[in-house]
């Protein structure tokens, strides 16, 4: 009886167990395993590599390589598989394998460094975009998606930069042809107080000798815009006060594609952007052209043109070894040309005439015309010496010629002086408006200038790590030379019946006949140290600069020899330190301190000092799901601020420099990006964007300056052309093939002359709000779409500036419509 019960119990247990753990059938093959290691070509382990094993039958599993690069996958059914290994900064590798029942397979996975990402770190100021949030300093990268949120009429860089806090763009002619950009309290005049680059190479016509950027790269053909402020910008030089602006040209595509825009709009505007490119195993190419013309929005007394045309061409060619080559190399050549013709003037309006007809242009500006020709050549070689070591070398030469033929004076007073006090100069004002004048009454200057900029720069990148610390060391050297050649003259006219008649032609070189030369050696070393939650970036820059100014007699048109030569030699050491602490996975703290510096330029005298400051910043970043925000405070303590006499700044255009003494600049920047779909039950995307800047800059000493925007300065006076508040808001809507984007920018009223207390009516701009709207319909998955945009939606009228001479309006309401096409094979 007991044996019977035991047999029954054993049988019941076996039945229950078999329902829980099915027995393997005799025909089922045993499971397999895969183990191995992920290494670099030099044999270094690559921890953190993500490995994904997948079969056609639908089986898929993943594993992450451990601290020594090893992995072990078990319980894998027999079959045919692909295993994909992905590690940031390395080329993705896919291997195929077949497993039979019960097999244990050992693999060695070799991942080569991605040369494209390594090169990106060398030519971009933000560097590795994957670690941009841990940069110990304020940095912003606007990629092609951000740039294309709205179609920007006339390719105005100011419209794009209003999305970035801490950046100021002073309008001038409404089209953004010659933008005035500053950062963190620096002056904005002709973007001469920032480091301006294209693809990591200085692009201003003469960055040392004459930094005023009468040439600015065509923004419409760029694929990205980088802005870097704070301590770690010392790498870029020569100006380290405010920040660095780097424009990223369109890259050579991986496969054949053609992209472009065809646009029609207000004021007879026609716009064409076309680019095509392709890549093979060992080569790649890209050709691009941008063409735009407009009749302008200003109305010239008596009729006449007030528009512009721009013709821009760019070509790139690349030769390269295979991407997986252990010592990958590439050579890329870029050539380009940009020509501009614009019926543009420095002559603005009186207060009375502006309030009545803000788009008016006086008859005396009928001959004003700007013509320029910019040519660039850049060759860049990159070699990946090893997994840890790479070398990038670039040579470049840029030439720029421009002649701005424009009215300078009526009789003795200049046009700026006339419009600052139109009642006292009523006779001259009537001539500006078209009344008859005496012979030789109107002086028109041919501001004929030629520039070149050339040099070689090399950058060695080294990666190393010990324990939990990782180093990214960069050592760079640059030799640069540039020149500005002024060969100007004045012609004189008489106004009769509203038309200007030539009465005396000037001799070339009789107004200004001089050459500014600069040569500079620059060296820097910078280390990015990552240790646990901390990132430290100490850096040191050294500049040795020689500046020469050769003045020739105004009668010496063949330049037999200079009458005077000024030489200024200086050398400077610029240290900096940036810190970032990852307080949690979503919150980080940043801070930094560095020395700000700007060379004085060839217009300096023995009394002119270099511009120097100590700059501080601190703030925090938050990144939670679709919410990204940043808040940064900054404080710049100038021991000496320089002012430059330029016509665009309302001066005489001599280029002379003036010491401004001590200035304190402070403020804070805030930005936020968030898709409300994450918080609300929407079935469509609703992204919102915000950027805010508060700024204040005060002189800390009293002095009298010949620099017109400063004049007689009293301690406590505020700097001109620095808005105390700027606010940008943007809201998008996207569903299916439709997208709508609205944005609004507010700029507070600001001084146009140094002072304190309440703003004087005739020494300030207007506060203004400008709204823009874009609607878009996507036709194809590749990106072809129709769009319609309105700039200055409410047709707001405001005083954008009082310099160079008189009141100037912003762009009125503008309509643009077109197609953006893409063909990808």
């Amino acid at each position: 009886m007991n044996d019977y019960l035991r047999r029954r119990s054993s049988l019941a247990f076996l039945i229950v167990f078999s329902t829980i753990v099915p027995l393997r059938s005799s025909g089922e093959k045993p499971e397999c395993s895969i183990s191995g290691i992920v290494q670099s070509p030099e044999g270094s382990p690559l921890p953190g590599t993500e490995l994904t094993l997948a079969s056609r039958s639908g089986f898929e599993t993943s594993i992450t390589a451990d601290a020594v690069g090893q992995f072990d996958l078990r319980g894998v059914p027999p079959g045919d598989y692909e295993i994909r290994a992905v590690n940031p900064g390395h080329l993705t590798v896919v291997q195929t394998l077949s497993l039979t029942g019960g097999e244990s397979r050992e693999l060695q996975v070799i991942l080569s460094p991605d040369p494209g990402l390594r090169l990106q770190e060398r030519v971009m100021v933000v560097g590795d975009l994957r670690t941009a949030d841990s940069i110990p300093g304020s940095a912003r990268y606007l990629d092609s998606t951000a740039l294309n949120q709205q179609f920007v009429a006339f390719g105005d860089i100011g419209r794009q930069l209003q999305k970035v806090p801490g950046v100021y763009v002073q309008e001038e002619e409404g089209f953004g042809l010659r933008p005035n950009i500053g950062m963190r309290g620096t002056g904005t005049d002709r973007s001469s107080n920032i480091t301006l680059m294209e693809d990591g190479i200085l692009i201003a016509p003469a960055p040392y000798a004459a930094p005023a950027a009468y040439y600015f790269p065509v923004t419409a053909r760029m694929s990205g815009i980088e802005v870097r402020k704070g301590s770690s910008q010392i790498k870029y030089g020569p100006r380290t006060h405010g920040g660095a602006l780097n424009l990223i040209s369109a890259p050579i595509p991986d496969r054949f594609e053609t992209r472009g825009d065809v646009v029609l709009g207000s004021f007879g505007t026609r716009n064409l952007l076309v680019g095509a490119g392709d890549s093979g195993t060992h080569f790649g190419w890209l050709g691009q052209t941008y063409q735009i013309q407009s009749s302008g929005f200003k109305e010239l007394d008596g009729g006449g043109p007030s528009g512009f045309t721009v013709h821009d061409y760019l070509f790139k060619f690349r030769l390269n070894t295979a991407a997986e080559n252990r010592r990958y190399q590439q050579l890329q050549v870029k050539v380009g040309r940009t020509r501009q013709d614009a019926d543009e003037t420095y002559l603005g309006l009186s207060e009375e005439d502006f309030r009545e007809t803000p788009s008016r242009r006086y008859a005396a500006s009928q001959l004003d015309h700007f013509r320029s020709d910019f040519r660039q050549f850049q060759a860049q070689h990159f070699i990946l010496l090893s997994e840890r070591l790479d070398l990038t070398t670039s040579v470049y030469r840029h030439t720029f010629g421009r002649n701005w033929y424009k009215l300078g004076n009526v009789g003795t007073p200049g046009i700026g002086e006339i419009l600052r006090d139109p009642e006292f100069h009523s006779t001259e004002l009537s001539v500006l408006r078209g009344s008859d004048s005496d012979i030789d009454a109107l002086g028109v200057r041919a501001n004929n200038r030629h520039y070149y900029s050339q040099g070689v720069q090399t950058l060695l990148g080294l990666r190393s790590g010990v324990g939990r610390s990782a180093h990214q060391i960069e050592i760079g050297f640059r030799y640069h030379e540039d020149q500005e050649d002024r060969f100007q003259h004045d012609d004189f006219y008489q106004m009769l019946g509203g038309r200007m008649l030539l009465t005396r032609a000037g001799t070339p070189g009789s107004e200004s006949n001089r050459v500014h030369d600069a040569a500079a050696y620059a060296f820097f070393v910078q280390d990015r140290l990552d240790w646990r939650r901390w990132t430290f970036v100490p850096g040191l820059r050294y500049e040795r600069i020689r500046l020469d100014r050769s003045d020739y007699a105004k009668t010496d048109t063949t330049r037999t020899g200079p009458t005077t030569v000024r030489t200024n030699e200086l050398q400077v050491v610029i240290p900096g330190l940036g810190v970032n602490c990852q307080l949690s996975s979503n919150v980080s703290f940043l801070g930094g301190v560095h020395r700000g510096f700007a060379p004085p330029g060839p217009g300096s005298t023995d009394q002119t000092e270099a511009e120097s400051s100590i700059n501080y910043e601190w703030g925090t970043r938050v990144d939670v799901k679709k919410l990204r925000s940043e808040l940064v405070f900054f404080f710049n303590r100038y021991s000496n601020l320089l002012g430059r006499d330029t016509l665009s700044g309302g001066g005489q255009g001599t280029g002379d420099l003036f010491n401004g003494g001590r200035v304190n600049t402070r403020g804070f920047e805030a930005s936020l990006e968030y898709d409300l779909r994450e918080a609300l039950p929407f079935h469509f995307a609703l992204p919102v964007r915000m950027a805010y800047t508060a700024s204040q800059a005060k002189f800390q000493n009293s002095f009298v300056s010949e620099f017109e925007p400063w004049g007689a300065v009293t301690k406590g006076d505020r700097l001109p052309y620095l808005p105390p508040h700027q606010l940008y808001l943007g809201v998008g809507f996207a569903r299916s093939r439709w997208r709508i984007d609205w944005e609004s920018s507010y700029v507070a009223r600001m001084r146009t002359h140094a002072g304190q207390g309440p703003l004087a009516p005739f020494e300030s701009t207007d506060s203004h709000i400008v709204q823009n709207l874009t609607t878009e319909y996507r036709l194809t998955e590749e990106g072809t779409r129709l769009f319609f945009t309105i700039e200055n939606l409410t047709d707001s009228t405001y005083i954008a500036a009082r310099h160079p001479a008189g009141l100037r309006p912003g762009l009125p309401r503008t309509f643009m419509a077109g197609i953006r096409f893409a063909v990808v094979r």
Side-chain angles (χ1 to χ4, degrees), residues 437-449:
S437 73
D438 295 332
I439 293 176
D440 291 353
L442 295 95
V444 180
R445 179 165 300 170
N447 291 273
N448 182 31
R449 304 179 191 179

Side-chain angles (χ1 to χ4, degrees), residues 73-102:
L73 282 168
R74 296 184 179 274
V76 180
D80 296 326
Y81 290 92
E82 281 188 351
I83 185 167
R84 178 182 296 270
V86 179
N87 187 296
H90 294 77
L91 295 172
T92 297
V93 167
V94 178
Q95 296 183 12
T96 59
L97 66 158
S98 296
L99 299 174
T100 58

Side-chain angles (χ1 to χ4, degrees), residues 52 295 449 578 668 752 816:
T52 302
S295 58
R449 304 179 191 179
F668 71 90
T752 58
M816 307 288 280

Side-chain angles (χ1 to χ4, degrees), residues 367-386:
L367 298 179
D368 288 10
H369 185 81
F370 178 89
R371 179 179 289 110
S372 68
D373 189 351
F374 177 83
R375 304 185 188 206
Q376 65 170 309
F377 169 84
Q378 298 176 8
Q380 180 188 76
H381 177 261
F382 172 81
I383 180 170
L384 191 63
L385 298 169
S386 69

